[in-house]
Structures are given as structure tokens and as C-alpha cells.
């Protein structure tokens, strides 16, 4: 049995999308004589032609899907909430905070940088990256405060 | 005073290429028109221009035809990608209606294609879907995408091919793809 052409999944794909040296003249000659590479060319050309009308819509969902983002956000908010509860417990069990200490359990969260909101539910869902940065900052603040309270 | 002239191809070769272009022109136009409605004519002209410039040494007519269709498929991808990059909203014309562009249910077909594409992208490995999305909807090259994913360019190319294969299979299973690719028979006899 003849092994598949090594170009069919690599060089020919690059050639089809205009990414080959010398404008792909030499590779066009190879594709014209290679059954595997012709099949690759047909597969890609037909798929792109078929999906062309909807590709702009696909573009708008580039990145994690809404469902994935929702799951991700849910998990991150849950972690932040657990840390906040831990911080609250540290306050209650560790004694009375000194002067200037936060008066309520939500106060430390409200100090998150970049204007991050105190509660996960109010997070502005802009972009996943932005969201990650905000949640990272939020978690960092809560974790640091809980350590501070635990050491009191 | 004489000025230097570009060397002309042998008259016999020119005759042969002209004959071959005439012979395959109608089929090539039909092929392109089905995949890019309203653009078959201009794309066919571009294909023949490129073929004429390259002047491939194709000893047989079948080899010449295979070469022309290879160039045509490459141009089709470029055509649709460029158009897709310019459009901001979902167009219901300009690309190939998978079941015939003059059908009244074109909008429905596009919606169905989108649903299949989204579901298939969602179901495949994220790294495969990402390569397809980035390469078809942005100006990022495979080299850029490979760097972004921290993999070799061959891995990125392989991921693209896998993603396209999965999407093709999903759309074919729902009768959203056209007839079998042509030509399907390997052609011998083309020499650089
Ligand atoms: Zn090959």
C-alpha cells in the first residue's frame, strides 16, 4: 500500500492558503500529479466555498463559546466566593480587627484594582482575557487579605 | 534601432495551450461559478492568466486540466477568504449556496450551515477549531497561528486540515456540500 503523500496535510495546505514560496508554481505541478494533494485541495476549496457565507458569523464567536465562558466564569466566581468566605471566617474566628481594618466582609473585595466589582455576578463580561485579569486581581486581593487576617 | 524583446514561447506550444484553454474553459467556468456564484467568469480568466504565465510542461491534456483545476481551487479559497474578511455581517449572497444559489431557501440553508459549523467547531478539540477560525476569519498566517499556539507550523497546518476534514464530513452528512470533488483521478505526466 502506498503511503500517503507527506505534503497532503502540510505543504499543500499552506499552498492552498497562499503561503508557499515562489507563488507556489512548483507545488501546483505536484498537486496536479498527486491524488492525495488533489483530494486535499478539493476538500478545502469545497469547504471554504460552502462556509463562505457564514464565515463572518463564525468570526464573531472566535474564542471560547458563550457556554464555555459561562462555565469558566462560574468556576472562577465560585473560587472567589470561597476565598471571601474564608476571609470572613478568619475575621470572626481570629478576633476583632484593629483600627482601619475592613468593617465588613465585602469591603476587601471592593478594594480590587481596576474598578473590579465586589461581586462576581456584577462582572462586566467584556472579553475573556479582560475577565481573567479582573478575576485574577480579585482572587489575589482576597487571598492576600485572608492570609493577613489569619496571621492576626 | 531595435529594442530587446521578451522571448516568445514556441508557436506550437502557444497553439497547444490556447487549444487546451478553449477545450477546458466551459467546464472550468462552470466549476468556479457553482462555487462562487457571479464570479465564475472573472475567476476563470484569472486561472487561465496564471496558467499561461506559468506555462507548465504538461505532456497530456489530462495533466493540463489537473493543473488548471489545482490553480482554480487555490484561487477559490483566496476569493472567499478575501470576501469574508471584508464582510461584517452575515451575507446571504456572494458565496456558494450549498444547495444552489437560486433557491428561495438560501437564507435557511445558510443558517443551517452556520449551525452545523458552530456545532462541529464546538465539538472538536479547541486547538483545531482555533486554527480554523483564525486562518479563515483573520489575516493571521499559519506561521502566526503556530507561534500563538506554541507549536510547529506543520502541526498548525495539520490541525487546519483535521478541522476542515471534520467540518466537511459534518456538512456532507447533512447534504450541504456539492458533488464529489473533481478531478478525482491522479494525473501523471506533468513535469516542472
Ligand atoms: Zn502530494
Amino acid at each position: 500500500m502506498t503511503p500517503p503523500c507527506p505534503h497532503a496535510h502540510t505543504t499543500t495546505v499552506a499552498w492552498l492558503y497562499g503561503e508557499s514560496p515562489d507563488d507556489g508554481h512548483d507545488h501546483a505541478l505536484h498537486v496536479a500529479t498527486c491524488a492525495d494533494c488533489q483530494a486535499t485541495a478539493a476538500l478545502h476549496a469545497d469547504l471554504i466555498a460552502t462556509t463562505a457565507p457564514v464565515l463572518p458569523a463564525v468570526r464573531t464567536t472566535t474564542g471560547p463559546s458563550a457556554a464555555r465562558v459561562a462555565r469558566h466564569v462560574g468556576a472562577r466566581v465560585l473560587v472567589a466566593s470561597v476565598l471571601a468566605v474564608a476571609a470572613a471566617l478568619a475575621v470572626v474566628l481570629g478576633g476583632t480587627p484593629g483600627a482601619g481594618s475592613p468593617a465588613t466582609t465585602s469591603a476587601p473585595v471592593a478594594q480590587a484594582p481596576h474598578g473590579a466589582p465586589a461581586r462576581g455576578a456584577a462582572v462586566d463580561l467584556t472579553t475573556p482575557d479582560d475577565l481573567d485579569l479582573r478575576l485574577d486581581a480579585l482572587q489575589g486581593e482576597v487571598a492576600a487579605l485572608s492570609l493577613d487576617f489569619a496571621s492576626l | 534601432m531595435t529594442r530587446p524583446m521578451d522571448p516568445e514561447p514556441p508557436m506550437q506550444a502557444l497553439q497547444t495551450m490556447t487549444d487546451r484553454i478553449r477545450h477546458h474553459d466551459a467546464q472550468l467556468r462552470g466549476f468556479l461559478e457553482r462555487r462562487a456564484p457571479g464570479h465564475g467568469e472573472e475567476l476563470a480568466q484569472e486561472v487561465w492568466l496564471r496558467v499561461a504565465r506559468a506555462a507548465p510542461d504538461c505532456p497530456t491534456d489530462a495533466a493540463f486540466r489537473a493543473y488548471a483545476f489545482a490553480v482554480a481551487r487555490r484561487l477559490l479559497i483566496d476569493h472567499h477568504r478575501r470576501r469574508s474578511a471584508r464582510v461584517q455581517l452575515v451575507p446571504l449572497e456572494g458565496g456558494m449556496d450549498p444547495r444552489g444559489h437560486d433557491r428561495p431557501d438560501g437564507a435557511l440553508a445558510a443558517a443551517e450551515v452556520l449551525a452545523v459549523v458552530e456545532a462541529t467547531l464546538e465539538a472538536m478539540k479547541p486547538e483545531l477549531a482555533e486554527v480554523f477560525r483564525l486562518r479563515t476569519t483573520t489575516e493571521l498566517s499559519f506561521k502566526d497561528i503556530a507561534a500563538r499556539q506554541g507549536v510547529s507550523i506543520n502541526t498548525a497546518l495539520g490541525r487546519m486540515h483535521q478541522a476542515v476534514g471534520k467540518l466537511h464530513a459534518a456538512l456532507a452528512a447533512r447534504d450541504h456540500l456539492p458533488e464529489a470533488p473533481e478531478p478525482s483521478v491522479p494525473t501523471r505526466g506533468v513535469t516542472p
Side-chain angles (χ1 to χ4, degrees), chain A residues 8-11 13-20 23-26 28-29 31-35 38 40-63 65 67-68 71, chain B residues 35 54 56 66-67 70 73-74 77 80-81 84-85 87-88 90-91 96 98 110 114 117-118 121-122 126 132-133 135-137 141-142 154 157-158 160-161 164 167-168 171 176-177 181 183 185-188 190 192:
Chain A
H9 299 179
T10 54
T11 316
V13 176
W15 173 79
L16 282 167
Y17 292 82
E19 293 183 34
S20 56
D23 200 30
H25 169 58
D26 288 342
L29 290 165
V31 174
T33 60
C34 175
Q38 281 187 27
T40 292
L43 188 83
H44 284 251
D46 283 349
L47 190 277
I48 295 299
T50 302
T51 56
V54 304
L55 283 181
V58 172
R59 173 176 50 202
T60 63
T61 58
T62 294
S65 70
R68 283 183 184 178
R71 286 197 296 274
Chain B
R35 287 157 179 79
Y67 184 94
R73 289 192 167 101
R74 190 173 185 240
I77 290 175
H80 284 304
R81 281 197 60 254
S84 175
V87 176
Q88 294 303 315
V90 181
M96 182 184 69
L114 179 59
V117 168
E118 288 290 10
L121 287 172
E122 181 75 18
F132 177 81
R133 283 189 163 117
R135 193 62 189 85
T136 56
T137 66
S141 66
F142 286 119
N154 277 354
L157 291 167
M160 178 68 173
H161 189 61
V164 167
L167 288 164
H168 193 285
L171 288 165
H176 284 297
L177 274 169
V185 179
T187 307
R188 305 290 173 200
V190 182

Side-chain angles (χ1 to χ4, degrees), chain B residues 38-111:
Chain B
H39 299 273
E41 174 88 19
E42 67 183 73
L43 286 171
Q45 286 181 13
E46 180 67 21
V47 169
W48 294 133
L49 187 65
R50 292 192 183 203
V51 170
R53 276 186 189 152
D57 183 8
C58 301
T60 67
D61 195 48
F64 179 81
R65 180 184 182 279
Y67 184 94
F69 274 83
V71 172
R73 289 192 167 101
R74 190 173 185 240
L75 271 176
L76 265 174
I77 290 175
D78 185 53
H79 167 80
H80 284 304
R81 281 197 60 254
R82 277 188 285 107
R83 286 179 63 81
S84 175
R86 288 200 304 265
V87 176
Q88 294 303 315
L89 298 173
V90 181
L92 297 177
E93 52 79 32
M96 182 184 69
D97 180 329
R99 297 181 302 186
H101 65 280
D102 54 348
R103 289 180 61 137
D105 57 350
L108 179 61

Side-chain angles (χ1 to χ4, degrees), chain A residues 39-151:
Chain A
T40 292
L43 188 83
H44 284 251
D46 283 349
L47 190 277
I48 295 299
T50 302
T51 56
V54 304
L55 283 181
V58 172
R59 173 176 50 202
T60 63
T61 58
T62 294
S65 70
R68 283 183 184 178
V69 168
R71 286 197 296 274
H72 182 62
V73 169
R76 299 295 297 272
V77 168
L78 180 63
V79 169
S81 301
V82 168
L83 287 170
V85 169
L89 284 173
V91 169
V92 171
L93 300 175
T96 305
S101 292
T104 68
T105 55
S106 63
V109 180
Q111 293 171 3
H114 312 302
R119 296 184 185 280
V123 167
D124 176 22
L125 294 177
T126 49
T127 66
D129 287 346
D130 189 33
L131 182 66
D132 277 346
L133 287 174
R134 292 182 185 201
L135 285 172
D136 282 339
L138 185 69
Q139 279 181 248
E141 288 286 326
V142 172
L145 280 165
S146 67
L147 284 174
D148 288 343
F149 287 135
S151 65

